[in-house]
């Protein structure tokens, strides 16, 4: 075999690209530390601060804090003023790093790759054997990280944008209907809808016992336990309450038999009811998903989504980048006649589905 000719410029460019990704992994650890230690909160809205002042405000050791600040400044996560030897968090950076209620707050999402590293031995075995890894088999940080990653995004979009994009659904919610949130996780999406529509009753469904327990705690804390219930059930056997709305929030592609789940939804829908399908943003062709968002979702799909679908029977393993065409086919096979895209964000596509 002939020795390949190496293009030095291409090699250098790819090495730089790989090192940038490696640096991002290191930075994720720093972001998680900064959030948990209150370092971003110490910087937010305070103007330029010395390392000593940041450490004092956060109750941390100055020498560690100075090194952390320099790492953050090198990565562009905070600003550094050389003349005064001070550090500053801009308003835009604060929205991403310090504001827990911001729709673009990201520190908690770093729990997901932390869990992926912790789960590497399971992933190695799964890749070699083809077996699945169920949601509950992952490191505990997985469920927490995913819930936190989606919570604020749903808060920004679900009630003000996505539900109004569905024909007639808001009016029915205001009048009062039964709603199912299939794959509800920690219940954030369920509770957002319950807070907005007090005449409707909401039922969160999930197979993961720890997530159901967390969802019930959140409902109690929000004072919504009288109108919101959470039950442990599968997407194919939850109670038929003739729902006016059935929601799948970033869930359908995780299921081992999405057609069966869609078929059960068809049976459990009240006449004129709607399925709201929210899925990770994806196009139909691989070449159209080769982006930063696609990189994120394909990686997560490799270790989380496909792994759970295989553990769940693996009849049809969609993955997190299924695309509209494959999703529409799932519901066509389940007997639905209406499937349209109602809204989209850089991270999600929202579909309206009816029989």
């Amino acid at each position: 075999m002939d020795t390949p000719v190496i293009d030095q410029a291409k090699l250098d460019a790819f090495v730089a690209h790989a090192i940038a990704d490696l640096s991002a992994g290191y930075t994720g650890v720093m972001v998680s530390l900064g959030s948990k230690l209150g370092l971003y909160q110490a910087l937010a809205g305070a103007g330029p601060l010395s390392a000593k002042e940041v450490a004092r405000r956060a109750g941390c050791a100055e020498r560690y804090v100075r090194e952390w600040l320099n790492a953050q400044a090198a990565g562009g996560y905070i600003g550094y003023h050389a003349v005064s030897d001070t550090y500053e968090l801009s308003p835009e950076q604060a929205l991403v790093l310090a504001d827990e209620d911001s729709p673009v707050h990201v520190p908690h999402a770093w729990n997901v790759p932390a869990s992926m590293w912790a789960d590497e031995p399971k992933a190695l075995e799964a890749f070699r054997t083809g077996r699945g890894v169920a949601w509950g088999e992952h490191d505990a940080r997985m469920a927490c990280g995913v819930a936190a990653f989606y919570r604020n995004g749903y808060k920004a979009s679900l009630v003000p944008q996505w539900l109004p994009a569905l024909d007639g659904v808001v009016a029915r919610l205001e009048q009062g209907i039964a709603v199912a949130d299939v794959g509800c996780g920690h219940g954030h999406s369920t509770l957002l809808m319950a807070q907005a529509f007090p005449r409707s009753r909401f039922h969160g469904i999930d197979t993961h016992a720890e997530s159901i327990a967390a969802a019930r705690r959140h409902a109690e804390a929000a004072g919504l336990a009288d109108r919101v219930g959470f039950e442990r059930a599968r997407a194919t056997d939850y109670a038929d309450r003739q729902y006016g709305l059935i929601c799948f929030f970033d869930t359908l592609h995780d299921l081992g038999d999405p057609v069966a789940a869609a078929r059960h939804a068809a049976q459990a829908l009240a006449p004129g009811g709607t399925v709201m399908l929210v899925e990770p943003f994806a196009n139909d062709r691989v070449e159209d998903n080769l982006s930063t968002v696609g990189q994120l979702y394909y990686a997560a799909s490799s270790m989380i989504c496909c792994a759970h679908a295989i553990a769940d029977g693996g009849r049809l393993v969609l993955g997190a980048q299924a695309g509209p065409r494959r999703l529409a086919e799932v519901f066509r096979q389940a007997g639905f006649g209406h499937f349209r895209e109602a809204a989209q964000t850089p991270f999600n596509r929202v579909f309206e589905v009816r029989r």
Side-chain angles (χ1 to χ4, degrees), residues 3-24:
T3 302
V5 177
I6 300 297
D7 184 317
Q8 191 61 45
K10 290 182 179 179
L11 175 61
D12 291 345
F14 184 67
V15 168
H17 178 81
I19 293 297
D21 283 348
L22 179 63
S23 176

Side-chain angles (χ1 to χ4, degrees), residues 253-305:
H253 66 273
D254 291 325
L255 303 178
D257 193 345
V259 175
R263 191 174 292 122
H264 185 71
Q267 295 167 355
L269 272 179
T274 300
V275 170
M276 177 164 65
L277 174 67
V278 179
E279 281 286 296
F281 185 93
N283 297 300
D284 289 317
R285 302 186 304 175
V286 171
E287 58 266 36
D288 295 327
N289 293 327
L290 303 182
S291 63
T292 300
V293 172
Q295 178 185 6
L296 182 79
Y297 282 143
Y298 277 126
S301 189
S302 300
M303 289 194 67
I304 308 169
C305 310

Side-chain angles (χ1 to χ4, degrees), residues 135-149:
W135 184 260
E137 294 181 71
H138 287 290
D139 182 272
R141 288 170 292 184
M142 179 68 71
C144 294
V146 170
F149 178 73

Side-chain angles (χ1 to χ4, degrees), residues 51-107:
K52 183 176 182 179
E53 181 62 18
V54 175
R56 186 192 67 78
R57 285 172 169 239
C60 295
E62 179 185 348
R63 186 62 189 88
Y64 282 108
V65 170
R66 176 175 288 278
E67 211 71 1
W68 177 86
L69 287 165
N70 288 337
Q72 292 285 276
Y77 277 65
I78 62 175
Y80 175 65
H81 305 288
V83 173
S84 58
D85 189 26
T86 56
Y87 305 84
E88 187 172 9
L89 196 67
S90 73
E92 296 76 19
Q93 290 166 335
L95 281 174
V96 177
L97 301 170
D99 185 351
E100 294 272 350
D101 293 323
S102 165
V104 291
H105 186 257
V106 301

Side-chain angles (χ1 to χ4, degrees), residues 25 37 50 78 84 93 146 175 193 214 228 231 258 304 321 337:
L37 292 170
S50 68
I78 62 175
S84 58
Q93 290 166 335
V146 170
Q175 292 166 2
M193 293 187 291
V228 182
E231 62 184 273
I304 308 169
Q321 294 285 270

Side-chain angles (χ1 to χ4, degrees), residues 21 24 35 46 53 58 64 88 104 112 117 126 169 179 192 198 204 232 243 268 282 293 311-312 315 326 352 354:
D21 283 348
S35 178
E53 181 62 18
Y64 282 108
E88 187 172 9
V104 291
V112 176
W117 275 113
V169 168
V179 179
L192 284 170
R232 191 177 180 191
Y243 301 98
V293 172
D312 193 38
R315 188 175 182 89
R326 293 179 71 199
E352 175 188 272
R354 292 198 176 116

